[in-house]
Amino acid sequence: MSLRWRSELLLELRMRGCQAQLLGAGWTAHSQASASAGGSGGAALSAALAALRLADVDTLPSIARLRVADEYVLHRLIEGEGSRAMVLAQARAHFDQALGPGERHVMLLPLGRKRHRWLASAINTSDLAAWTDALSQSGVYLADMQPMLFDEWQRLRDQIRDQDAVLVLLRDEGATLIRLIDGLPVDLLWERFDPGDAATLDRRLRAFARTPQGRSLRPVWAQSDHADTAPPPTESTQVIYLLPESKTLCRYVWDRDAVDLAGDRAADAGAATP
């Protein structure tokens, strides 16, 4: 966490609402006041700021940091060893190919200690303009914006003790699934569904986690340089980390062989640990 020289707002914009926190100057992560409001986009931001004023906050700070949920963002994992400008151009080309020509704000954020592994995220400039306008009408300047996905990865990665696992981040309208190999994200998928539908979550997670995990199938950069014996192309167990709405990270061990033999039994057989 970086030092704050003055008070600022931390805003988490989700698809169905916004959470606003007032953070004081210094190193502390504790909020001095918080409020939430329903809605989406700029309307949710305005409503959350109005609710914060009602929480005994007479004057709002002039700057805000915004964290945006996955429903508003298109993500792509990129491996690029060139300059940041070259990797950013590669990301823009991908989004243009996937979405067609358009005005987009593209962010490029490092995923590991080696800067050639990146998360590229694109947001429609029309959405960004609406959010900026909603904040400015409340006298607040948008000083920083990041995908919620990156913010959570920064917070959670030291809590994940397994080098190979699947991370599940629940959202209002679905979940983001991330495959970790050697401790780094190598595959990412957005799945849209009702996150309260446990059967659908189980089915989508099984399909994603069943992808073979053998070292020979890993990206070249994820293969070990050590001369150890390669593991078999598939493993019988899969570690799942789930981040629900409570933001308490839970760990499950899925015995895939036992699940397959049992048919439709729940895939999260095993103890969940915070």
Side-chain angles (χ1 to χ4, degrees):
M1 183 184 65
S2 59
L3 173 65
R4 289 185 299 276
W5 296 103
R6 54 182 175 173
S7 297
E8 62 184 38
L9 293 167
L10 176 60
L11 304 171
E12 289 193 355
L13 180 61
R14 297 180 177 271
M15 200 63 184
R16 300 177 186 172
C18 178
Q19 174 78 26
Q21 297 183 64
L22 173 60
L23 304 177
W27 296 99
T28 179
H30 298 293
S31 61
Q32 297 178 341
S34 63
S36 60
S40 62
L45 288 171
S46 297
L49 294 178
L52 192 61
R53 286 194 182 94
L54 297 176
D56 296 328
V57 178
D58 296 329
T59 304
L60 295 176
S62 59
I63 61 173
R65 302 185 184 276
L66 179 63
R67 302 296 178 258
V68 184
D70 300 332
E71 289 93 332
Y72 294 102
V73 189
L74 181 65
H75 297 295
R76 178 176 171 82
L77 298 175
I78 292 182
E79 178 193 6
E81 298 184 358
S83 67
R84 189 181 187 282
M86 292 175 59
V87 180
L88 184 58
Q90 178 184 346
R92 291 185 184 280
H94 163 75
F95 292 129
D96 286 342
Q97 181 179 10
L99 302 174
E103 294 294 327
R104 301 179 188 91
H105 176 75
V106 179
M107 293 167 282
L108 194 63
L109 299 163
L111 286 177
R113 293 173 177 83
K114 295 182 179 180
R115 295 185 63 86
H116 61 273
R117 299 166 191 174
W118 305 87
L119 174 68
S121 304
I123 292 177
N124 287 331
T125 54
S126 59
D127 286 337
L128 179 56
W131 304 337
T132 303
D133 182 63
L135 294 176
S136 65
Q137 289 182 19
S138 298
V140 178
Y141 168 73
L142 180 58
D144 175 74
M145 180 178 64
Q146 287 184 359
M148 194 176 295
L149 171 61
F150 181 76
D151 188 61
E152 288 177 340
W153 169 247
Q154 294 285 90
R155 179 172 62 89
L156 297 174
R157 61 182 180 183
D158 291 336
Q159 301 179 38
I160 299 176
R161 62 179 184 266
D162 300 273
Q163 289 293 296
D164 294 2
V166 169
L167 175 62
V168 184
L169 306 174
L170 293 183
R171 304 299 189 216
D172 288 346
E173 297 186 351
T176 292
L177 309 178
I178 305 173
R179 191 185 320 283
L180 305 178
I181 294 180
D182 293 340
L184 284 173
V186 299
D187 194 12
L188 182 151
L189 179 66
W190 164 253
E191 289 277 7
R192 188 177 297 277
F193 59 92
D194 178 2
D197 184 348
T200 300
L201 172 60
D202 175 67
R203 186 170 63 253
R204 301 287 180 88
L205 178 56
R206 288 194 200 192
F208 184 79
R210 276 195 177 102
T211 302
Q213 296 293 298
R215 190 174 300 272
S216 62
L217 298 177
R218 300 177 181 185
V220 174
W221 59 262
Q223 296 181 25
S224 173
D225 293 329
H226 302 293
D228 55 346
T229 303
T234 59
E235 289 90 15
S236 61
T237 60
Q238 175 73 66
V239 178
I240 309 293
Y241 283 87
L242 174 67
L243 186 71
E245 186 65 26
S246 66
K247 296 188 177 182
T248 300
L249 190 66
C250 299
R251 179 180 183 271
Y252 299 83
V253 178
W254 172 20
D255 187 334
R256 294 192 291 185
D257 288 344
V259 170
D260 289 342
L261 290 173
D264 291 330
R265 288 190 306 174
D268 56 355
T273 58

